[in-house]
Short mmCIF file of all heavy atoms in Angstrom, two decimals:
data_model
loop_
_atom_site.label_atom_id
_atom_site.label_comp_id
_atom_site.label_asym_id
_atom_site.label_seq_id
_atom_site.Cartn_x
_atom_site.Cartn_y
_atom_site.Cartn_z
N ALA A 1 -8.58 -2.12 4.28
CA ALA A 1 -7.81 -2.06 5.52
C ALA A 1 -7.34 -0.63 5.79
O ALA A 1 -7.27 -0.20 6.94
CB ALA A 1 -6.61 -2.99 5.44
N VAL A 2 -7.04 0.11 4.72
CA VAL A 2 -6.65 1.51 4.87
C VAL A 2 -7.81 2.29 5.49
O VAL A 2 -7.64 3.05 6.45
CB VAL A 2 -6.25 2.13 3.52
CG1 VAL A 2 -6.06 3.64 3.66
CG2 VAL A 2 -4.97 1.49 3.00
N GLY A 3 -9.02 2.07 4.96
CA GLY A 3 -10.18 2.75 5.50
C GLY A 3 -10.40 2.43 6.96
O GLY A 3 -10.68 3.33 7.78
N ASN A 4 -10.25 1.15 7.33
CA ASN A 4 -10.44 0.74 8.72
C ASN A 4 -9.40 1.39 9.63
O ASN A 4 -9.71 1.86 10.73
CB ASN A 4 -10.36 -0.78 8.84
CG ASN A 4 -11.56 -1.47 8.22
OD1 ASN A 4 -12.63 -0.87 8.11
ND2 ASN A 4 -11.39 -2.72 7.82
N ALA A 5 -8.14 1.39 9.18
CA ALA A 5 -7.06 1.97 9.98
C ALA A 5 -7.28 3.47 10.20
O ALA A 5 -7.09 3.98 11.30
CB ALA A 5 -5.71 1.73 9.31
N LEU A 6 -7.71 4.16 9.14
CA LEU A 6 -7.91 5.60 9.27
C LEU A 6 -9.11 5.92 10.16
O LEU A 6 -9.11 6.91 10.89
CB LEU A 6 -8.09 6.22 7.88
CG LEU A 6 -6.93 6.02 6.90
CD1 LEU A 6 -7.12 6.88 5.67
CD2 LEU A 6 -5.58 6.32 7.54
N HIS A 7 -10.11 5.05 10.10
CA HIS A 7 -11.29 5.25 10.95
C HIS A 7 -10.93 5.10 12.43
O HIS A 7 -11.52 5.75 13.30
CB HIS A 7 -12.38 4.25 10.57
CG HIS A 7 -13.63 4.38 11.38
ND1 HIS A 7 -14.41 5.52 11.40
CD2 HIS A 7 -14.25 3.50 12.21
CE1 HIS A 7 -15.43 5.35 12.20
NE2 HIS A 7 -15.36 4.14 12.72
N LYS A 8 -9.93 4.24 12.72
CA LYS A 8 -9.52 3.98 14.10
C LYS A 8 -8.30 4.80 14.50
O LYS A 8 -7.68 4.53 15.52
CB LYS A 8 -9.20 2.49 14.27
CG LYS A 8 -10.40 1.57 14.02
CD LYS A 8 -9.99 0.11 14.10
CE LYS A 8 -11.15 -0.82 13.81
NZ LYS A 8 -10.74 -2.25 13.83
N ASN A 9 -7.95 5.78 13.70
CA ASN A 9 -6.75 6.60 13.92
C ASN A 9 -6.60 6.98 15.40
O ASN A 9 -7.40 7.73 15.94
CB ASN A 9 -6.85 7.86 13.07
CG ASN A 9 -5.62 8.76 13.21
OD1 ASN A 9 -4.67 8.43 13.90
ND2 ASN A 9 -5.66 9.88 12.52
N PRO A 10 -5.55 6.45 16.08
CA PRO A 10 -5.37 6.75 17.51
C PRO A 10 -4.80 8.13 17.78
O PRO A 10 -4.85 8.61 18.91
CB PRO A 10 -4.39 5.65 17.96
CG PRO A 10 -3.56 5.40 16.73
CD PRO A 10 -4.51 5.55 15.57
N HIS A 11 -4.24 8.76 16.75
CA HIS A 11 -3.58 10.05 16.96
C HIS A 11 -3.98 11.03 15.85
O HIS A 11 -3.14 11.43 15.02
CB HIS A 11 -2.06 9.87 16.99
CG HIS A 11 -1.59 8.86 17.98
ND1 HIS A 11 -1.74 9.02 19.35
CD2 HIS A 11 -0.99 7.65 17.81
CE1 HIS A 11 -1.24 7.96 19.97
NE2 HIS A 11 -0.80 7.13 19.06
N PRO A 12 -5.25 11.44 15.80
CA PRO A 12 -5.71 12.31 14.71
C PRO A 12 -5.00 13.66 14.67
O PRO A 12 -4.97 14.31 13.62
CB PRO A 12 -7.21 12.48 15.02
CG PRO A 12 -7.35 12.16 16.48
CD PRO A 12 -6.33 11.11 16.75
N ASP A 13 -4.42 14.08 15.79
CA ASP A 13 -3.72 15.36 15.80
C ASP A 13 -2.38 15.29 15.07
O ASP A 13 -1.85 16.33 14.65
CB ASP A 13 -3.48 15.83 17.24
CG ASP A 13 -4.78 16.20 17.94
OD1 ASP A 13 -5.77 16.48 17.24
OD2 ASP A 13 -4.80 16.18 19.18
N THR A 14 -1.83 14.08 14.94
CA THR A 14 -0.52 13.95 14.30
C THR A 14 -0.53 13.10 13.03
O THR A 14 0.39 13.21 12.22
CB THR A 14 0.50 13.35 15.29
OG1 THR A 14 0.02 12.09 15.76
CG2 THR A 14 0.71 14.27 16.48
N ILE A 15 -1.54 12.25 12.87
CA ILE A 15 -1.65 11.43 11.65
C ILE A 15 -2.76 12.04 10.80
O ILE A 15 -3.94 11.91 11.15
CB ILE A 15 -1.96 9.96 11.97
CG1 ILE A 15 -0.89 9.38 12.89
CG2 ILE A 15 -2.05 9.14 10.68
CD1 ILE A 15 -1.19 7.96 13.37
N PRO A 16 -2.43 12.70 9.68
CA PRO A 16 -3.43 13.48 8.93
C PRO A 16 -4.31 12.61 8.02
O PRO A 16 -4.27 12.71 6.78
CB PRO A 16 -2.56 14.43 8.11
CG PRO A 16 -1.31 13.65 7.85
CD PRO A 16 -1.08 12.84 9.12
N CYS A 17 -5.16 11.80 8.63
CA CYS A 17 -6.02 10.89 7.87
C CYS A 17 -7.00 11.63 6.97
O CYS A 17 -7.50 11.07 6.00
CB CYS A 17 -6.76 9.96 8.81
SG CYS A 17 -5.68 8.80 9.67
N TYR A 18 -7.30 12.88 7.31
CA TYR A 18 -8.24 13.65 6.49
C TYR A 18 -7.68 13.92 5.09
O TYR A 18 -8.43 14.33 4.18
CB TYR A 18 -8.59 14.97 7.18
CG TYR A 18 -7.43 15.94 7.33
CD1 TYR A 18 -7.14 16.87 6.32
CD2 TYR A 18 -6.61 15.93 8.46
CE1 TYR A 18 -6.08 17.75 6.44
CE2 TYR A 18 -5.56 16.81 8.59
CZ TYR A 18 -5.29 17.72 7.58
OH TYR A 18 -4.23 18.59 7.69
N ARG A 19 -6.41 13.67 4.87
CA ARG A 19 -5.80 13.89 3.56
C ARG A 19 -5.95 12.68 2.63
O ARG A 19 -5.33 12.62 1.57
CB ARG A 19 -4.31 14.24 3.72
CG ARG A 19 -4.09 15.59 4.38
CD ARG A 19 -2.62 15.89 4.62
NE ARG A 19 -2.45 17.15 5.35
CZ ARG A 19 -1.35 17.51 6.01
NH1 ARG A 19 -0.30 16.72 6.02
NH2 ARG A 19 -1.30 18.66 6.65
N VAL A 20 -6.79 11.72 3.03
CA VAL A 20 -7.03 10.54 2.20
C VAL A 20 -8.47 10.59 1.69
O VAL A 20 -9.41 10.78 2.47
CB VAL A 20 -6.79 9.24 2.99
CG1 VAL A 20 -7.00 8.03 2.09
CG2 VAL A 20 -5.37 9.23 3.58
N VAL A 21 -8.63 10.41 0.39
CA VAL A 21 -9.95 10.46 -0.26
C VAL A 21 -10.11 9.22 -1.14
O VAL A 21 -9.17 8.46 -1.33
CB VAL A 21 -10.10 11.74 -1.11
CG1 VAL A 21 -9.99 12.99 -0.23
CG2 VAL A 21 -9.03 11.79 -2.21
N ASN A 22 -11.31 9.04 -1.70
CA ASN A 22 -11.50 7.86 -2.55
C ASN A 22 -11.00 8.12 -3.96
O ASN A 22 -10.50 9.20 -4.28
CB ASN A 22 -12.95 7.37 -2.51
CG ASN A 22 -13.92 8.28 -3.26
OD1 ASN A 22 -13.51 9.17 -4.02
ND2 ASN A 22 -15.20 8.07 -3.05
N ALA A 23 -11.15 7.11 -4.82
CA ALA A 23 -10.57 7.18 -6.17
C ALA A 23 -11.14 8.29 -7.02
O ALA A 23 -10.53 8.70 -8.03
CB ALA A 23 -10.75 5.83 -6.87
N ALA A 24 -12.33 8.78 -6.65
CA ALA A 24 -12.95 9.87 -7.39
C ALA A 24 -12.68 11.23 -6.76
O ALA A 24 -13.19 12.25 -7.23
CB ALA A 24 -14.46 9.63 -7.49
N GLY A 25 -11.89 11.22 -5.70
CA GLY A 25 -11.61 12.47 -5.01
C GLY A 25 -12.67 12.86 -4.00
O GLY A 25 -12.64 13.97 -3.44
N GLU A 26 -13.61 11.94 -3.74
CA GLU A 26 -14.71 12.24 -2.83
C GLU A 26 -14.28 12.09 -1.37
O GLU A 26 -13.49 11.19 -1.03
CB GLU A 26 -15.89 11.31 -3.11
CG GLU A 26 -16.48 11.52 -4.49
CD GLU A 26 -17.49 10.44 -4.86
OE1 GLU A 26 -17.42 9.34 -4.26
OE2 GLU A 26 -18.30 10.69 -5.76
N LEU A 27 -14.84 12.94 -0.53
CA LEU A 27 -14.52 12.92 0.90
C LEU A 27 -15.34 11.85 1.62
O LEU A 27 -16.34 11.36 1.09
CB LEU A 27 -14.79 14.28 1.52
CG LEU A 27 -13.69 15.36 1.35
CD1 LEU A 27 -13.32 15.57 -0.10
CD2 LEU A 27 -14.14 16.67 1.98
N SER A 28 -14.95 11.51 2.82
CA SER A 28 -15.67 10.53 3.63
C SER A 28 -16.95 11.14 4.19
O SER A 28 -17.14 12.36 4.16
CB SER A 28 -14.80 10.04 4.79
OG SER A 28 -13.61 9.45 4.31
N GLY A 29 -17.81 10.27 4.73
CA GLY A 29 -19.03 10.75 5.36
C GLY A 29 -18.75 11.46 6.66
O GLY A 29 -17.62 11.45 7.18
N ALA A 30 -19.77 12.07 7.20
CA ALA A 30 -19.62 12.86 8.42
C ALA A 30 -19.09 12.05 9.59
O ALA A 30 -18.39 12.56 10.45
CB ALA A 30 -20.96 13.50 8.78
N PHE A 31 -19.40 10.74 9.61
CA PHE A 31 -19.02 9.90 10.75
C PHE A 31 -17.50 9.80 10.91
O PHE A 31 -17.00 9.58 12.00
CB PHE A 31 -19.58 8.48 10.56
CG PHE A 31 -18.92 7.70 9.47
CD1 PHE A 31 -17.80 6.92 9.73
CD2 PHE A 31 -19.38 7.76 8.17
CE1 PHE A 31 -17.17 6.20 8.73
CE2 PHE A 31 -18.77 7.05 7.15
CZ PHE A 31 -17.66 6.27 7.43
N ALA A 32 -16.77 9.95 9.81
CA ALA A 32 -15.33 9.64 9.81
C ALA A 32 -14.51 10.63 10.62
O ALA A 32 -13.49 10.27 11.19
CB ALA A 32 -14.81 9.57 8.38
N PHE A 33 -14.93 11.87 10.68
CA PHE A 33 -14.10 12.89 11.34
C PHE A 33 -14.85 13.65 12.42
O PHE A 33 -14.45 14.73 12.81
CB PHE A 33 -13.52 13.84 10.30
CG PHE A 33 -12.58 13.17 9.33
CD1 PHE A 33 -13.05 12.69 8.12
CD2 PHE A 33 -11.26 12.95 9.66
CE1 PHE A 33 -12.20 12.04 7.24
CE2 PHE A 33 -10.40 12.30 8.80
CZ PHE A 33 -10.87 11.83 7.59
N GLY A 34 -15.94 13.09 12.87
CA GLY A 34 -16.63 13.67 14.01
C GLY A 34 -17.68 14.71 13.68
O GLY A 34 -18.19 15.38 14.58
N GLY A 35 -18.00 14.86 12.40
CA GLY A 35 -19.04 15.82 12.07
C GLY A 35 -19.06 16.17 10.60
O GLY A 35 -18.06 16.01 9.89
N LYS A 36 -20.19 16.64 10.14
CA LYS A 36 -20.35 17.04 8.75
C LYS A 36 -19.40 18.18 8.41
O LYS A 36 -19.24 19.13 9.18
CB LYS A 36 -21.80 17.44 8.49
CG LYS A 36 -22.13 17.71 7.04
CD LYS A 36 -23.60 18.05 6.88
CE LYS A 36 -23.95 18.31 5.42
NZ LYS A 36 -25.38 18.64 5.24
N ASN A 37 -18.78 18.07 7.25
CA ASN A 37 -17.89 19.11 6.71
C ASN A 37 -16.55 19.24 7.44
O ASN A 37 -15.74 20.10 7.06
CB ASN A 37 -18.57 20.49 6.70
CG ASN A 37 -19.79 20.52 5.80
OD1 ASN A 37 -19.82 19.86 4.76
ND2 ASN A 37 -20.81 21.26 6.20
N VAL A 38 -16.29 18.41 8.46
CA VAL A 38 -15.03 18.53 9.18
C VAL A 38 -13.85 18.24 8.26
O VAL A 38 -12.86 18.98 8.23
CB VAL A 38 -15.00 17.60 10.41
CG1 VAL A 38 -13.60 17.59 11.04
CG2 VAL A 38 -16.02 18.04 11.44
N GLN A 39 -13.93 17.15 7.49
CA GLN A 39 -12.83 16.82 6.58
C GLN A 39 -12.62 17.94 5.56
O GLN A 39 -11.48 18.33 5.27
CB GLN A 39 -13.09 15.50 5.86
CG GLN A 39 -11.90 15.06 4.99
CD GLN A 39 -12.13 13.73 4.29
OE1 GLN A 39 -13.25 13.24 4.20
NE2 GLN A 39 -11.06 13.14 3.78
N ALA A 40 -13.72 18.47 5.03
CA ALA A 40 -13.61 19.56 4.06
C ALA A 40 -12.93 20.78 4.68
O ALA A 40 -12.06 21.41 4.06
CB ALA A 40 -15.00 19.93 3.54
N GLU A 41 -13.30 21.09 5.90
CA GLU A 41 -12.70 22.25 6.57
C GLU A 41 -11.21 22.05 6.80
O GLU A 41 -10.41 22.99 6.64
CB GLU A 41 -13.42 22.50 7.90
CG GLU A 41 -14.85 22.99 7.72
CD GLU A 41 -15.64 22.96 9.02
OE1 GLU A 41 -15.05 22.55 10.06
OE2 GLU A 41 -16.82 23.33 9.01
N LEU A 42 -10.83 20.83 7.17
CA LEU A 42 -9.40 20.55 7.40
C LEU A 42 -8.61 20.65 6.10
O LEU A 42 -7.50 21.18 6.07
CB LEU A 42 -9.24 19.16 8.01
CG LEU A 42 -9.75 18.99 9.45
CD1 LEU A 42 -9.80 17.52 9.84
CD2 LEU A 42 -8.84 19.75 10.42
N LEU A 43 -9.19 20.13 5.02
CA LEU A 43 -8.51 20.19 3.73
C LEU A 43 -8.40 21.64 3.23
O LEU A 43 -7.35 22.05 2.71
CB LEU A 43 -9.24 19.33 2.69
CG LEU A 43 -9.13 17.82 2.90
CD1 LEU A 43 -10.05 17.08 1.94
CD2 LEU A 43 -7.69 17.35 2.71
#
């Protein structure tokens, strides 16, 4: 449910969903933040 909520984040400018990773510290796929490496760049 956390993953679903973050994927539907209505306010990405104010809710920092990019700061959530999986149990191994791995980042989400490119689809999650609008492009490849976007989450990495934000972090």
